[in-house]
Amino acid sequence: MLLSNLPALQVVIPLVSAPVCLLLRNPRHAWACALIISWLVLAMALLLLQQVYTLGTISYAIGAWATPWGIEYRIDMAGALMILIIATVGAVTMPYAWRNIQHELHRKHTGVYYTCYLLCLTGLLGIVVTGDAFNLFVFLEISSLSSYVLISLGPSRRALTAAYQYLVMGTIGATFILIGIGLLYMMTGTLNMQDISQRLPEVADTRTIRVAFAFVTVGVSIKLALFPLHIWLPNAYTYAPSVVSAFMAATATKVGVYVLLRFFFTLFGLQFSFNAMHVGEILMLLAVAAILIASLVAIFQDNVKRMLAYSSVAQIGYIILGISLATTAGVSAGMLHLFNHAMIKGALFMAMGCIFLRLGSVEIHNMHGLARQMPWTMAAFVAGGLSLIGVPLTAGFISKWYLVNAALTDGYWPLAVLILVSSLLALIYIWRVVEAAYFHLPGADMHKVREAPASMLIPTWLLIGVNLYVGLDAGLITNIAQQGAASLLGQALQ
Amino acid sequence: MIGISAVPPGLPLILGALLLPLLGPRARAVLVLGLPLLVLALVWQVPDGTSLRLAFLDYELAPVTGDRLSRLFGTVFAIMAFAGGLFALNRSRVVELVAALTGAGSAIGLTFAGDLFTLIVFWELLALSSTLLVWSAMTDRSYGAGMRYLIIHLLGGVILMAGVIGHVADTGSVVFTAMLPDSPAHWLILAGFLVNAGAPPVSAWLPDAYPEASPTGMVFLSAFTTKSAIYVLLRGFPGAEILIAIGLYMIFYGIVYALLENDMRRILAYSIVNQVGFMICGIGIGTEMALNGTAAHAFTHIIYKALLLMSAGSVLYMTGKRKCTDLGGLFRSMPLTTVCGIIGALSISTFPLTSGFISKSMISQAAADQQMAILWFLLTAGTAGVLLHAGIKFPWFVFFQKDSGLRPPDPPLNMRMAMILFAFLCIALGVWPAPLYAILPYPVDYVPYTYAHVVAKLQLLLFSGLAFFIMLPYLKRTLTITLDWDWFYRWLGPRAIGQATRVVSRWHAHRRIDVLRHLGHLFGTLFLYHGPQGILARTWATGSMVLWVVILLGIYLIAYYY
């Protein structure tokens, strides 16, 4: 009974417990509540993944209303992987959040933080599980509105402008998506994704559908911060509280990519999106620009959180690059990098949170000689950095390997070269931090700095551990990514 | 059941190295000396063929794959790690020992890699640990040199990686077998290998980085990077003819620059390039005799080069001076170091009854067997050149020549023991070559000690030795410039030399400024757009963000509308 209702519980439990956190006056209680819910969500995500792995795609009718009338929740392998990413990052960042939130937020805001975090979690999970286009928009708004609040809670006042800009851009993106969905509804008369995909071919050759496609593409591109619509992202990640940066960098843009995949492959279909609309070529061009330009910008940043934010834009470029190939190999490489990058960036932002806790700054020039004082934090940063660069034996290597292979299989050898060369750009910006922390003489006040508390270090190292494990034994996750890609493309080919 | 034969032989060294910082000095000494011996035992437990298979991605890795060649290199790397560890034992800096043992472990792991993935992992690990080894001298110069070393080797690593990916895409197999330079992927792999061998045009990383390491660090460095490159070339590209030309270039590059050099360890660093050149020639010849000779020469070279560097390192350690012109006459107070240095010098110059004689002559013989007359003459001339720069120049200027007035004693016991061990090996291998010949990759039917060969070699060496001492005034005169630099500086001073310097530097400055202007322009452009205030990096006004959205939507709409 409980197991068969998992798809709904996955979303409902965090949704219902969000107001509870607001009502609990004591921050410790609110934190405990959010912690328990996060872990529960992870447990459910693992059960769901196991169900999908053994039984195949799950279809669940909300309130037992049959699909054309009711809302359908539909989870295939790609969705199960996304849920796993979101739940893992949520469960790992929550124990970390306690010290971080105490340090970076005013006490009266802590309740708001945990509430918004749970709402954001609800929204992100909802986007993934739902099989209904309008429901997707609703969950997108839930996650977006709560993330604007989360970002605005950041310790510096610039967090407010960053959140405001994100709000404007995010709202435009969501509106565009809504317009697209509306146009689709107009032409097909249904909001269920499966139905839309079945009815769409009859009306595909109309201007309305093409316009819908353009609106959706631009709207989703804003949400996933695809170059050149990434401009909201660096400030948002830089000025948000550290734990929010870690959570958002690992999940929010990734879910944006998932929405893109859903629209392109499930709703519009591979045939329409890539053969008729040629979106593959456009995405490839933008992805290449993102990789090169954002990596170069990252090299010149002094604020490490900002540097990591630009690096995220570049890494999203890799993911989109894989998807733009529109082959099973390419899409599965993209999804693999989606997972790996979530683990990498989560860990790196968490390491920066540890540093901010002790140092009060994440500027490179303040980190001179830091490695002596915070050896575990810096070691985590180095390990995460190696994975970001794509050194063998780390997760980053696995996904870059598959990306390069997918590009070579399609004969795009310049892309293969680009991926290898841009790894060197990542090496440069990671190295700037390593050089400051390991090779520069410590400043006068450095001896007062202590190692970060275990409650923050252990979660950081958990994500690093996932990175190293995937680097050694990528079998399971690669399999999941390939099944996910097959599920997306298989539906598209019907 | 995983037996002892499935343990990657390099692994205990790498894991043990990570333990070193946690241990006290006594336990550390046990580990530094014990691990190489353990690894030596493991090396000989590895049977022929693959004894460990791992699944990785869609491929099957073979991290433990043995044959005669890998055991030969594994053996000499383990011996080297032991003697190097013994030599470095009294140094307090743990990071150097960690880096050295990791380097040794990766070099040994490399020699048992049956697939290209494992190869790359150990290859990169070796590059990183060597960089750390250079840095562990903890000087500003070593930081710069280590950084240049790292950049070149990471670039080499990327080239190798690109080649490997291409190779895997072409063939679908990751097995590391003999290749021909016949496709872009294979050319890239060959280039990646050659970067580590110190081949042109990047030979300069070697004499740049190695002499900036500590006296003990350079002993380790000399053995692993270039010789593991020789190993992979032996296995990957036997008989690739382009290697003959590259090897010859390296032989003469090494000789010329070593003759002009004043820093004793830089002389020896150039001499590594020179010796590796002989080996690369051997690989290029590609017959069984040549490959045997290359493998044997790598084996003996590691030992006598380490011995030479230990002797130079002892001098540096005891005196703190590295320039030939500051040294001299040390034989009075450092007799043991002198004797060991001379034994190393005799070996590198291939004197009969030393290890160099029984190995390098196989390469020359292989050239003669293949009727490559010009190559044979050049190799012989190179042999004479080695005697000039490493065989005589190094011991003569450091230990004899004028009396520098320095009276340092011989180095501490552990350093003396390490030198005695390797000096003994140099002589022993020269007198009884049979055990070494028995473990070479191919059956050996070569007798080094024929009457004609010994006489011919002695003639060559004695005459070139004679040439050295006849030319000594000439060599000295060039040296007096360096010796009495301050005299020149004071007397001719700004007028003569200064004028010349100005002319040269003005010309140089123009070129430099040109180059720098271009570089600066490029960097400036990058910075203009990508720097913190650049258009691509600064925070935009919300309005212009939205404008972009509209522009992009417009483009999509217009494109799709029609």
Side-chain angles (χ1 to χ4, degrees):
Chain A
M1 178 59 204
L2 203 64
L3 277 181
S4 62
N5 284 323
L6 269 183
L9 290 175
Q10 184 87 64
V11 181
V12 170
I13 291 183
L15 180 67
V16 172
S17 49
V20 177
C21 277
L22 196 60
L23 295 174
L24 292 170
R25 311 286 299 190
N26 186 331
R28 188 176 287 276
H29 295 167
W31 171 72
C33 173
L35 183 71
I36 290 166
I37 299 299
S38 303
W39 287 358
L40 210 58
V41 164
L42 178 61
M44 289 190 292
L46 289 171
L47 283 173
L48 256 182
L49 180 69
Q50 194 247 340
Q51 277 187 23
V52 177
Y53 206 77
T54 49
L55 302 173
T57 305
I58 298 175
S59 172
Y60 176 88
I62 290 281
W65 287 87
T67 35
W69 299 280
I71 291 171
E72 182 199 15
Y73 277 8
R74 193 178 176 86
I75 304 165
D76 63 357
M77 209 39 148
L81 176 66
M82 286 308 304
I83 294 175
L84 180 70
I85 295 174
I86 299 165
T88 309
V89 176
V92 171
T93 46
M94 242 326 103
Y96 175 96
W98 173 244
R99 287 295 297 269
N100 186 255
I101 290 303
Q102 259 188 336
H103 177 244
E104 291 184 25
L105 259 64
H106 195 277
R107 193 184 147 88
K108 72 179 179 198
H109 287 150
T110 47
V112 179
Y113 166 77
Y114 292 113
T115 308
C116 285
Y117 158 75
L118 284 175
L119 282 176
C120 190
L121 194 65
T122 309
L124 295 174
L125 290 168
I127 294 172
V128 178
V129 296
T130 189
D132 183 282
F134 184 74
N135 201 227
L136 184 143
F137 165 76
V138 172
F139 281 121
L140 192 68
E141 279 299 272
I142 295 180
S143 73
S144 302
L145 290 172
S146 51
S147 57
Y148 307 144
V149 179
L150 287 177
I151 289 168
S152 70
L153 291 174
S156 106
R157 290 180 57 131
R158 300 183 68 174
L160 287 175
T161 30
Y164 171 73
Q165 286 197 321
Y166 182 28
L167 182 138
V168 172
M169 295 296 284
T171 309
I172 293 174
T175 314
F176 278 18
I177 294 172
L178 185 63
I179 293 173
I181 292 173
L183 292 172
L184 279 175
Y185 182 55
M186 196 172 99
M187 295 305 288
T188 60
T190 175
L191 285 169
N192 184 290
M193 292 186 187
Q194 298 299 312
D195 287 348
I196 294 181
S197 74
Q198 276 171 15
R199 296 184 194 173
L200 196 84
E202 301 163 19
V203 290
D205 202 22
T206 57
R207 282 183 177 163
T208 316
I209 294 295
R210 288 193 213 144
V211 168
F213 187 79
F215 269 103
V216 167
T217 307
V218 176
V220 179
S221 298
I222 296 176
K223 281 286 168 192
L224 64 85
L226 179 61
F227 183 88
L229 303 178
H230 66 283
I231 320 156
W232 58 268
L233 184 141
N235 277 341
Y237 286 10
T238 311
Y239 300 116
S242 303
V243 65
V244 175
S245 305
F247 180 72
M248 300 272 295
T251 57
T253 45
K254 308 295 173 292
V255 170
V257 174
Y258 174 83
V259 173
L260 188 81
L261 287 170
R262 269 287 161 247
F263 271 104
F264 282 1
F265 292 109
T266 307
L267 266 82
F268 289 104
L270 178 88
Q271 193 65 34
F272 178 78
S273 313
F274 287 86
N275 294 351
M277 297 280 98
H278 299 290
V279 78
E281 286 84 343
I282 301 174
L283 287 185
M284 192 180 288
L285 199 69
L286 294 179
V288 169
I291 293 172
L292 286 179
I293 294 175
S295 298
L296 278 171
V297 173
I299 289 174
F300 292 109
Q301 297 303 317
D302 279 327
N303 183 315
V304 181
K305 274 175 83 174
R306 209 176 167 77
M307 179 196 96
L308 292 176
Y310 276 109
S311 149
S312 279
V313 177
Q315 302 292 322
I316 290 165
Y318 287 111
I319 298 169
I320 297 295
L321 191 64
I323 293 169
S324 72
L325 297 171
T327 59
T328 318
V331 175
S332 65
M335 293 192 58
L336 194 61
H337 198 55
L338 199 92
F339 177 84
N340 290 343
H341 180 241
M343 300 300 133
I344 296 168
K345 256 318 138 53
L348 288 177
F349 270 115
M350 282 160 86
M352 279 307 123
C354 295
I355 290 173
F356 189 77
L357 177 77
R358 293 301 192 216
L359 214 57
S361 156
V362 287
E363 301 280 327
I364 288 186
H365 62 85
N366 288 331
M367 292 187 194
H368 288 182
L370 187 63
R372 269 163 213 266
Q373 307 300 324
M374 303 181 75
W376 287 100
T377 309
M378 280 316 296
F381 184 84
V382 170
L386 289 177
S387 194
L388 190 70
I389 296 161
V391 176
L393 299 185
T394 61
F397 173 76
I398 307 286
S399 37
K400 287 205 175 148
W401 173 267
Y402 277 110
L403 266 177
V404 168
N405 254 347
L408 282 180
T409 318
D410 276 15
Y412 288 109
W413 62 266
L415 289 185
V417 174
L418 171 85
I419 293 169
L420 289 174
V421 170
S422 60
S423 302
L424 289 180
L425 295 179
L427 176 65
I428 296 175
Y429 57 72
I430 293 295
W431 177 258
R432 292 184 63 222
V433 181
V434 173
E435 187 186 14
Y438 283 87
F439 294 98
H440 281 260
L441 290 176
D445 290 342
M446 193 48 89
H447 63 277
K448 292 185 206 145
V449 176
R450 286 176 299 131
E451 181 56 278
S455 72
M456 294 172 77
L457 273 182
I458 292 171
T460 311
W461 274 95
L462 272 176
L463 287 190
I464 294 291
V466 174
N467 269 304
L468 299 179
Y469 176 75
V470 171
L472 285 173
D473 178 15
L476 180 67
I477 194 72
T478 317
N479 197 358
I480 293 176
Q482 276 163 354
Q483 284 192 33
S487 159
L488 282 166
L489 290 166
Q491 283 182 341
L493 290 171
Q494 272 172 8
Chain B
M1 167 71 197
I2 294 179
I4 185 124
S5 63
V7 178
L11 206 57
L13 272 176
I14 298 175
L15 295 180
L18 298 179
L19 279 180
L20 285 182
L22 310 175
L23 300 176
R26 196 170 291 269
R28 198 180 299 149
V30 171
L31 216 55
V32 167
L33 296 181
L35 279 176
L37 297 178
L38 170 72
V39 166
L40 187 58
L42 283 178
V43 163
W44 284 93
Q45 296 298 321
V46 178
D48 281 353
T50 303
S51 45
L52 176 64
R53 289 175 199 280
L54 297 173
F56 180 74
L57 303 182
D58 308 328
Y59 308 100
E60 188 173 65
L61 303 191
V64 187
T65 305
D67 66 357
R68 297 175 67 87
L69 184 63
S70 37
R71 277 194 295 272
L72 175 76
F73 274 83
T75 306
V76 70
F77 285 151
I79 295 175
M80 179 63 224
F82 175 79
L86 182 61
F87 186 72
L89 210 54
N90 62 328
R91 308 259 316 168
S92 55
R93 218 162 266 163
V94 185
V95 59
E96 183 175 300
L97 289 174
V98 173
L101 288 196
T102 315
S106 356
I108 293 171
L110 194 70
T111 57
F112 288 94
D115 66 277
L116 293 163
F117 276 166
T118 314
L119 182 86
I120 285 183
V121 170
F122 284 122
W123 189 266
E124 299 288 350
L125 200 56
L126 180 59
L128 289 180
S129 52
S130 302
T131 311
L132 196 58
L133 203 49
V134 176
W135 277 339
S136 63
M138 304 269 181
T139 59
D140 285 346
R141 287 176 61 142
S142 76
Y143 181 76
M147 187 55 95
R148 290 189 291 276
Y149 179 92
L150 184 65
I151 289 170
I152 287 187
H153 286 265
L154 286 179
L155 277 175
V158 169
I159 293 173
L160 178 62
M161 184 81 208
V164 167
I165 292 176
H167 173 80
V168 174
D170 286 347
T171 64
S173 155
V174 293
V175 180
F176 179 34
T177 53
M179 293 166 266
L180 289 172
D182 54 0
S183 70
H186 290 170
W187 278 108
L188 285 173
I189 295 180
L190 180 61
F193 285 168
L194 282 172
V195 167
N196 267 24
V202 292
S203 315
W205 64 258
L206 198 155
D208 177 29
Y210 284 7
E212 299 308 330
S214 72
T216 46
M218 188 173 170
V219 176
F220 282 110
L221 283 170
S222 72
F224 298 121
T225 305
T226 48
K227 254 57 77 186
S228 55
I230 290 298
Y231 164 80
V232 291
L233 286 170
L234 262 175
R235 187 174 290 285
F237 293 95
E241 280 179 7
I242 186 172
L243 292 178
I244 296 180
I246 293 174
L248 281 175
Y249 174 89
M250 289 169 69
I251 291 174
F252 291 98
Y253 165 89
I255 292 173
V256 170
Y257 277 84
L259 281 174
L260 295 173
E261 187 51 61
N262 189 22
D263 180 324
M264 60 175 172
R265 292 198 306 160
R266 283 180 72 95
I267 294 178
L268 295 177
Y270 282 116
S271 137
I272 295 177
V273 179
N274 157 279
Q275 294 289 310
V276 169
F278 280 103
M279 296 173 214
I280 289 188
C281 272
I283 300 171
I285 297 171
T287 59
E288 287 197 358
M289 168 71 100
L291 298 179
N292 263 346
T294 304
H297 198 50
F299 193 100
T300 58
H301 168 74
I302 286 179
I303 293 175
Y304 62 67
K305 178 59 67 176
L307 177 60
L308 281 168
L309 283 169
M310 284 179 187
S311 125
S314 300
V315 170
L316 177 61
Y317 184 68
M318 300 309 291
T319 64
K321 295 188 191 310
R322 47 195 282 177
K323 294 232 156 61
C324 282
T325 39
D326 297 340
L327 295 163
L330 296 180
F331 74 96
R332 291 180 185 84
S333 59
M334 299 180 84
L336 183 84
T337 312
T338 309
V339 170
C340 289
I342 290 176
I343 291 176
L346 291 177
S347 294
I348 199 173
S349 332
T350 65
F351 260 91
L353 297 182
T354 63
S355 59
F357 178 75
I358 59 121
S359 58
K360 194 202 280 171
S361 44
M362 293 173 84
I363 301 177
S364 302
Q365 186 64 43
D369 290 349
Q370 291 301 103
Q371 319 286 332
M372 297 172 167
I374 297 173
L375 177 62
W376 187 85
F377 280 121
L378 288 172
L379 287 177
T380 310
T383 306
V386 173
L387 178 83
L388 288 184
H389 78 265
I392 300 185
K393 185 179 172 182
F394 164 68
W396 173 256
F397 284 114
V398 173
F399 297 113
F400 301 102
Q401 202 213 161
K402 49 145 189 149
D403 184 359
S404 62
L406 298 168
R407 290 290 182 273
D410 268 321
L413 180 65
N414 64 313
M415 292 185 156
R416 295 205 299 270
M417 301 267 287
M419 284 196 285
I420 291 172
L421 172 68
F422 266 16
F424 169 77
L425 279 180
C426 277
I427 301 287
L429 286 171
V431 178
W432 301 287
L436 175 61
Y437 283 177
I439 59 172
L440 290 183
Y442 302 103
V444 179
D445 68 349
Y446 175 70
V447 183
Y449 290 106
T450 61
Y451 185 71
H453 183 204
V454 172
V455 168
K457 183 68 84 174
L458 282 177
Q459 275 179 344
L460 175 75
L461 294 177
L462 291 179
F463 271 104
S464 51
L466 189 64
F468 178 83
F469 286 102
I470 289 173
M471 293 193 307
L472 196 58
Y474 174 76
L475 286 172
K476 259 207 167 138
R477 206 181 63 199
T478 56
L479 277 170
T480 43
I481 294 173
T482 336
L483 259 176
D484 293 342
W485 177 249
D486 48 352
W487 179 87
F488 262 97
Y489 193 76
R490 276 201 306 269
W491 281 82
L492 293 174
R495 255 175 302 178
I497 290 184
Q499 188 62 35
T501 322
R502 264 199 296 280
V503 171
V504 171
S505 70
R506 196 177 305 142
W507 175 81
H508 189 231
H510 274 292
R511 295 294 304 277
R512 253 172 74 97
I513 286 171
D514 269 0
V515 172
L516 282 181
R517 192 190 297 138
H518 284 115
L519 274 180
H521 191 70
L522 176 71
F523 192 78
T525 317
L526 277 180
F527 194 77
L528 185 64
Y529 293 111
H530 299 88
Q533 293 310 315
I535 187 143
L536 289 164
R538 66 168 174 248
T539 305
W540 288 15
T542 317
S544 39
M545 287 188 188
V546 176
L547 191 67
W548 260 104
V549 178
V550 174
I551 290 174
L552 213 70
L553 179 73
I555 293 174
Y556 272 109
L557 281 177
I558 291 170
Y560 290 157
Y561 199 73
Y562 296 106

